[in-house]
PDB file of all heavy atoms in Angstrom:
ATOM      1  N   MET A  30      50.940  80.640  88.849  1.00 60.00           N
ATOM      2  CA  MET A  30      49.658  80.936  88.306  1.00 60.00           C
ATOM      3  C   MET A  30      49.358  80.024  87.150  1.00 60.00           C
ATOM      4  O   MET A  30      50.199  79.887  86.215  1.00 60.00           O
ATOM      5  CB  MET A  30      49.567  82.444  87.862  1.00 60.00           C
ATOM      6  CG  MET A  30      48.253  82.827  87.367  1.00 60.00           C
ATOM      7  SD  MET A  30      48.227  84.533  86.756  1.00 60.00           S
ATOM      8  CE  MET A  30      48.447  85.413  88.333  1.00 60.00           C
ATOM      9  N   ALA A 176      71.595  94.495  68.640  1.00 89.00           N
ATOM     10  CA  ALA A 176      71.090  95.789  69.004  1.00 89.00           C
ATOM     11  C   ALA A 176      71.364  96.157  70.530  1.00 89.00           C
ATOM     12  O   ALA A 176      71.465  97.266  70.907  1.00 89.00           O
ATOM     13  CB  ALA A 176      69.589  95.969  68.774  1.00 89.00           C
ATOM     14  N   GLU A 232      67.248  85.810  82.875  1.00 96.00           N
ATOM     15  CA  GLU A 232      67.485  85.125  81.603  1.00 96.00           C
ATOM     16  C   GLU A 232      66.559  83.948  81.497  1.00 96.00           C
ATOM     17  O   GLU A 232      66.401  83.204  82.511  1.00 96.00           O
ATOM     18  CB  GLU A 232      68.913  84.669  81.495  1.00 96.00           C
ATOM     19  CG  GLU A 232      69.254  83.936  80.230  1.00 96.00           C
ATOM     20  CD  GLU A 232      70.708  83.532  80.125  1.00 96.00           C
ATOM     21  OE1 GLU A 232      71.537  84.364  80.529  1.00 96.00           O
ATOM     22  OE2 GLU A 232      71.021  82.433  79.670  1.00 96.00           O
ATOM     23  N   ALA A 276      72.758  83.119  52.850  1.00 92.00           N
ATOM     24  CA  ALA A 276      73.236  81.749  52.639  1.00 92.00           C
ATOM     25  C   ALA A 276      73.568  81.021  53.917  1.00 92.00           C
ATOM     26  O   ALA A 276      73.724  79.813  53.974  1.00 92.00           O
ATOM     27  CB  ALA A 276      74.436  81.751  51.671  1.00 92.00           C
TER      28      ALA A 276
END
Side-chain angles (χ1 to χ4, degrees):
M30 181 182 293
E232 181 177 318

